[in-house]
Amino acid sequence: EIVLTQSPGTLSLSPGERATLSCRASQSVDSIYLAWYQQKPGQAPRLLIYGASNRATGIPDRFSGSGSGTDFTLTISSLEPEDFAVYYCQQYGSSLSYIFGQGTKLEIK
Amino acid sequence: QVQLVQSGPEVKTPGASVKVSCKASGYTFTTYGISWVRQAPGQGLEWVGWSSARSGNANYAQKFQGRVTMTTDPSANTAYMDLRSLRSDDTAVYYCSRRRNSHGFDLDYWGQGTLLTVSS
């Protein structure tokens, strides 16, 4: 089974800075099946990026996704106060199952 | 607008069963699936399974096989998750989400979550 490892576990940055979050898969995955979600405390997750690089409906263009094979990246170009949250990558696999990474917490420095 | 509204919090004793509902609105129910994801207190997201709203077919994560049943009622635009033989480590918030049947089958809308507490 594929394992998704996110790094760093916690990222401390200030508003206006650039955030780079990593998601590494234990084996190569088809990028069409790689998504990113944002979760704020007490809220349900929200789809940010699908197909590794496509923004979901209503997602600001400061969010971007990239990568292929085993290495994927979520970039937030200039952090807004509302961006501080936990971010999860997720892969949909050949066994018709979903795997989530353990999450990266983006906190205000 | 797309909405998924889940049933309220549940408190169960070990060994009991629970049935959580997820009522969809704002889209054609049978053109998407419904996936269930849980989150234990302070932990990450864990996928439980998904069911097709059109066919009723379901696929479950291996660790829940034999303990979970996911069904849908297209006449009520509602999906259900039935979890049996509850243990204390089933305590979590359970989310339903809409599963797209194209692109990467990602989960594009989520319910508000249902807190399940299992305690003696």
Side-chain angles (χ1 to χ4, degrees), chain A residues 44-107:
Chain A
R46 176 173 72 147
L47 177 66
L48 291 177
I49 301 287
Y50 65 92
S53 61
N54 303 288
R55 278 187 299 278
T57 303
I59 302 303
D61 60 7
R62 63 179 181 274
F63 290 91
S64 63
S66 63
S68 63
T70 60
D71 290 301
F72 298 88
T73 300
L74 174 69
T75 301
I76 310 171
S77 59
S78 179
L79 286 166
E80 297 287 341
E82 62 267 28
D83 298 337
F84 292 91
V86 180
Y87 293 85
Y88 295 94
C89 59
Q90 169 254 304
Q91 187 259 344
Y92 179 75
S94 57
S95 58
L96 310 183
S97 62
Y98 293 80
I99 297 166
F100 289 93
Q102 83 280 16
T104 289
K105 181 180 181 180
L106 178 56
E107 64 176 24

Side-chain angles (χ1 to χ4, degrees), chain B residues 56-76:
Chain B
N57 292 339
N59 191 51
Y60 308 128
Q62 192 166 8
K63 72 177 287 187
F64 299 101
Q65 296 267 3
R67 274 207 312 139
V68 70
T69 302
M70 294 176 183
T71 57
T72 57
D73 180 355
S75 69

Side-chain angles (χ1 to χ4, degrees), chain B residues 16 19 33 35 55 61 68 84 116:
Chain B
K19 191 167 189 173
S35 185
S55 67
V68 70
R84 302 175 292 278
L116 169 64

Side-chain angles (χ1 to χ4, degrees), chain B residues 13-107:
Chain B
T13 54
S17 299
V18 69
K19 191 167 189 173
V20 180
S21 67
C22 172
K23 183 170 177 60
S25 61
Y27 71 97
T28 302
F29 184 66
T30 52
T31 57
Y32 294 82
I34 294 290
S35 185
W36 294 85
V37 175
R38 77 178 187 180
Q39 186 169 39
Q43 303 301 308
L45 303 174
E46 180 179 31
W47 179 70
V48 181
W50 70 272
S51 61
S52 166
R54 179 186 299 274
S55 67
N57 292 339
N59 191 51
Y60 308 128
Q62 192 166 8
K63 72 177 287 187
F64 299 101
Q65 296 267 3
R67 274 207 312 139
V68 70
T69 302
M70 294 176 183
T71 57
T72 57
D73 180 355
S75 69
N77 285 357
T78 301
Y80 301 92
M81 181 194 69
D82 192 344
L83 188 61
R84 302 175 292 278
S85 302
L86 292 170
R87 307 186 289 251
S88 58
D89 62 359
D90 290 318
T91 295
V93 175
Y94 288 76
Y95 295 102
C96 65
S97 54
R98 189 176 79 164
R99 175 190 184 269
R100 296 205 283 196
N101 287 333
S102 62
H103 300 285
F105 304 105
D106 27 75
L107 310 175

